Amino acid sequence: MKFRLITVLACAATLCLGGTGAAASAYPVKQKVLTDNVLYRLGKLPKSTCEEPVVRPGNRGDAKHYIGTVMQCLEAAWESPLSETGVAFEGARLKFVTGSYCGIEARTDSDSVYCHDPRAVVVKLGKTVLEDPSDLFLMYITAARYANHVQRLTDIVYNVDSEAFYDSKAERAERLRRYNLQADCLAGVFIKSVSPLEGRSSRDWKYLQKLLQGDVAGYERLWGKTANVRAWLGRGYASGDPGSCNTWTAPPAEVA
């Protein structure tokens, strides 16, 4: 259940969310900036290396160093492809917190969010994530939050959560699921670009997928079913191409 504990508040901090999103109806997305974005024309991310620092269980300093290293890898991986297609590239900040963030009061011991102002990947490291850091989870959460930064750079985020673009809470919830599932897919794209990772095998990748959990009963349906979360992450990894991450044209069942 690592994924849900880490991200249960991210929905609130990412886009200042609200509403119930209880209905299961599907709504077409017709905005070209979402369905035909420059992001889908980047091609495969160039292969690169990203050396994973060792993270000892319970060691917050190790985890901070690991995430900082992965952030550098992410900046290097995304900057050239985005710049070459005319996107005005800006780096993301990295901030570690122990309490509230983005104006949201922390309610879990661990969390990860992207704060659009001031363009920061924000991470709260607690026991939940530090007790067993030997998996790829720290890389995943860093890559997924950086994917939110990529969505900002390509103007995707600005066309998701405005009231001008939806007519109901259910429609808004679906748009946010498409947004979040796209971030998962882009995280998979990045991980593929730096694979194979030294000392890792396919078992590590399969274990990461098993760790991820989707929407939980009692919370808004903003992340997608567990099967869809894993499927979009896997799709990005299989292709290594952001073009495979167009959740906005996907059929409703794939973003439920």
Side-chain angles (χ1 to χ4, degrees):
M1 298 297 289
K2 228 173 183 182
F3 176 78
R4 181 50 43 189
L5 287 172
I6 280 287
T7 57
V8 67
L9 288 182
C11 58
T14 300
L15 292 171
C16 301
L17 310 184
T20 61
S25 301
Y27 303 90
V29 177
K30 299 179 180 180
Q31 294 155 262
K32 189 173 182 179
V33 69
L34 299 176
T35 62
D36 189 26
N37 194 276
V38 64
L39 178 63
Y40 315 135
R41 298 190 288 276
L42 298 185
K44 289 187 176 183
L45 282 193
K47 282 287 185 179
S48 59
T49 58
C50 188
E51 185 175 345
E52 291 183 276
V54 173
V55 183
R56 293 164 292 183
N59 193 305
R60 185 173 283 101
D62 283 356
K64 287 182 176 181
H65 178 53
Y66 181 100
I67 291 173
T69 299
V70 173
M71 278 284 290
Q72 292 176 355
C73 297
L74 283 156
E75 301 264 71
W78 285 106
E79 181 174 7
S80 291
L82 289 169
S83 297
E84 289 170 5
T85 53
V87 175
F89 183 84
E90 293 180 283
R93 297 172 175 85
L94 174 61
K95 183 176 182 180
F96 295 99
V97 298
T98 57
S100 61
Y101 40 81
C102 298
I104 303 298
E105 188 65 33
R107 294 179 294 176
T108 57
D109 74 337
S110 303
D111 207 349
S112 65
V113 301
Y114 176 73
C115 295
H116 292 278
D117 185 13
R119 303 194 316 274
V121 171
V122 179
V123 182
K124 183 186 179 189
L125 295 168
K127 181 179 178 181
T128 303
V129 71
L130 292 176
E131 62 185 355
D132 180 18
S134 62
D135 51 57
L136 283 168
F137 194 72
L138 285 177
M139 178 172 283
Y140 159 74
I141 62 171
T142 311
R145 300 291 70 77
Y146 194 89
N148 295 143
H149 180 64
V150 172
Q151 289 170 306
R152 174 194 171 112
L153 294 176
T154 53
D155 293 333
I156 287 173
V157 67
Y158 301 112
N159 291 272
V160 175
D161 195 32
S162 168
E163 292 183 1
F165 303 133
Y166 60 86
D167 297 321
S168 68
K169 293 177 180 178
E171 181 176 2
R172 177 175 178 270
E174 180 176 308
R175 293 174 74 90
L176 291 167
R177 289 197 302 275
R178 291 180 185 269
Y179 170 84
N180 289 322
L181 288 167
Q182 182 172 63
D184 288 331
C185 183
L186 294 173
V189 167
F190 166 74
I191 296 174
K192 181 59 174 286
S193 76
V194 296
S195 296
L197 292 159
E198 185 176 354
R200 297 284 190 183
S201 70
S202 60
R203 286 180 296 182
D204 294 285
W205 171 250
K206 292 176 182 177
Y207 183 57
L208 171 64
Q209 289 184 300
K210 289 181 180 180
L211 283 177
L212 304 189
Q213 301 294 320
D215 289 323
V216 174
Y219 290 95
E220 294 180 84
R221 296 193 310 107
L222 302 174
W223 297 95
K225 296 178 181 178
T226 295
N228 285 337
V229 171
R230 295 174 181 176
W232 281 103
L233 177 71
R235 184 179 302 192
Y237 184 83
S239 70
D241 188 338
S244 69
C245 299
N246 192 347
T247 56
W248 305 101
T249 58
E254 293 183 6
V255 296

